[in-house]
Amino acid sequence: MDEQAARLINILLCNVEAEAVLEMHFPAPVLEFEADAMIALGGADFGAKLNGKEIENWRCYFVEKGSVLIFDKQNCGSRTYLAIKGGVAIKKWLESASTNLLANIGGFEGRALNKGDRIQFNQKTQNARQSSKYKISYNSLPHYQNSQATIRVIEGAEFELLTAFSEQIFLKQIFTIRPESDRMGFRLKSEPLYLIDELEMISSAIDFGTIQLLPDGQMIVLMADHQTSGGYPRIAHVISVDLPILAQLNPNDKVNFKLISLNEAENLLLELEMELNWLKIGVHYAFN
């Protein structure tokens, strides 16, 4: 859901950016390490403690065999991530280690983790005991917003088919993330939006962040487990840089939208990728 968090902590550990990470919601699991490891946490702040001592997100830590990692409190965000240096030994499906819970495929036996499960990882802990002095700079981090977030969007293909009044609602109203939201889509609650004329669409391509207008006038923002095509009007698209901010919101949190141009969205993404490249260079020199 929060791809940037996963990329950042993998880069920090000198892993491949797409290396599998453990995505956790609150209340999060208690994790016991049966071997030495070098780890990093990112995403939501769940008050992590290693052997009773508080540890930070976005920093490397050496973990000795027998150590226990717990998460005390949901301070900010909805998903926290654990990466391990060298990666985890998960069999890939279609070249991915991701889990699809609806289809029961991928990841760890195609399901969520249960008490007593063991995850094997590749042990690469060189230079690990000096690791905790390395931390990702603030400029490279996603700027999460608690409880209410302003999310930047670009116009969708059917944006101009909204009535003028509905356009104003979309751009000025604060929306609530409904409790029935999930990894496929965040359903939003607001005053209904309407099209100028009734529209029957042929199913079209959609993506992570596409905002669709449903028949009841409410909207849904498609998230990480979205389908690949849909027949509802595409009102807007969340820009790539703001997807992590949206993904870290919880049910009943608030969101409002700010319309920007495609050129602005592309420049913001280029700036982010430049920051990540600088991080890669810094990590390379720090650990080699």
Side-chain angles (χ1 to χ4, degrees):
M1 287 281 277
D2 185 348
E3 182 181 347
Q4 187 178 346
R7 290 178 68 190
L8 283 166
I9 54 179
N10 272 323
I11 291 171
L12 185 60
L13 293 172
C14 296
N15 287 343
V16 175
E17 287 184 45
E19 181 60 64
V21 297
L22 181 60
E23 181 179 76
M24 298 171 282
H25 301 80
F26 198 86
V30 174
L31 302 173
E32 180 181 0
F33 290 83
E34 296 181 330
D36 292 350
M38 185 174 170
I39 68 168
L41 295 169
D45 179 1
F46 285 175
K49 290 184 178 179
L50 184 63
N51 297 328
K53 183 179 178 180
E54 292 184 1
I55 62 173
E56 299 179 85
N57 283 2
W58 317 116
R59 187 185 291 275
C60 294
Y61 290 95
F62 175 73
V63 179
E64 293 183 331
K65 177 180 178 180
S67 296
V68 175
L69 177 64
I70 66 171
F71 301 88
D72 256 2
K73 183 181 179 182
Q74 188 176 12
N75 295 314
C76 176
S78 60
R79 296 168 178 85
T80 195
Y81 296 84
L82 169 69
I84 299 175
K85 186 172 179 62
V88 294
I90 293 289
K91 185 178 179 180
K92 293 189 176 182
W93 185 79
L94 295 178
E95 299 184 4
S96 172
S98 298
T99 307
N100 188 310
L101 297 176
L102 293 177
N104 296 316
I105 53 177
F108 187 90
E109 300 179 6
R111 61 171 174 81
L113 295 176
N114 295 322
K115 181 178 180 179
D117 284 341
R118 279 187 168 87
I119 301 175
Q120 303 297 323
F121 56 86
N122 304 311
Q123 297 181 52
K124 291 185 178 181
T125 56
Q126 65 270 25
N127 300 326
R129 293 184 182 275
Q130 291 79 37
S131 61
S132 60
K133 67 180 180 180
Y134 299 116
K135 182 179 180 180
I136 300 173
S137 70
Y138 177 79
N139 289 339
S140 300
L141 300 179
H143 298 157
Y144 301 132
Q145 301 171 40
N146 225 359
S147 300
Q148 181 171 329
T150 297
I151 301 297
R152 292 167 291 188
V153 299
I154 59 173
E155 288 187 7
E158 287 73 50
F159 180 80
E160 292 185 353
L161 300 182
L162 288 171
T163 65
F165 184 65
S166 293
E167 285 187 10
Q168 292 304 306
I169 293 174
F170 177 77
L171 295 173
K172 293 183 178 180
Q173 190 165 13
I174 295 174
F175 301 87
T176 302
I177 299 175
R178 289 158 57 176
E180 59 267 34
S181 299
D182 57 23
R183 293 179 54 86
M184 288 188 68
F186 282 4
R187 292 180 176 269
L188 304 180
K189 181 180 179 181
S190 71
E191 186 176 343
L193 278 65
Y194 298 98
L195 299 176
I196 297 171
D197 296 303
E198 290 188 10
L199 177 67
E200 287 192 16
M201 289 181 54
I202 297 174
S203 290
S204 305
I206 49 180
D207 201 0
F208 191 177
T210 297
I211 303 175
Q212 291 183 297
L213 181 64
L214 303 177
D216 63 359
Q218 302 297 317
M219 296 188 298
I220 183 170
V221 188
L222 302 181
M223 302 303 288
D225 287 354
H226 65 87
Q227 66 274 29
T228 56
S229 64
Y232 296 130
R234 297 154 295 177
I235 302 303
H237 302 276
V238 177
I239 68 171
S240 299
V241 171
D242 283 0
L243 283 173
I245 299 169
L246 181 64
Q248 288 293 351
L249 295 177
N250 292 287
N252 297 315
D253 282 349
K254 311 292 184 183
V255 60
N256 64 285
F257 298 110
K258 179 182 179 182
L259 192 64
I260 66 172
S261 69
L262 178 59
N263 187 57
E264 288 176 290
E266 290 176 339
N267 286 336
L268 288 167
L269 182 58
L270 287 172
E271 289 174 9
L272 172 62
E273 293 301 326
M274 287 178 63
E275 286 287 344
L276 293 180
N277 282 332
W278 281 116
L279 175 63
K280 292 177 196 175
I281 292 170
V283 168
H284 174 79
Y285 283 108
F287 288 99
N288 293 288

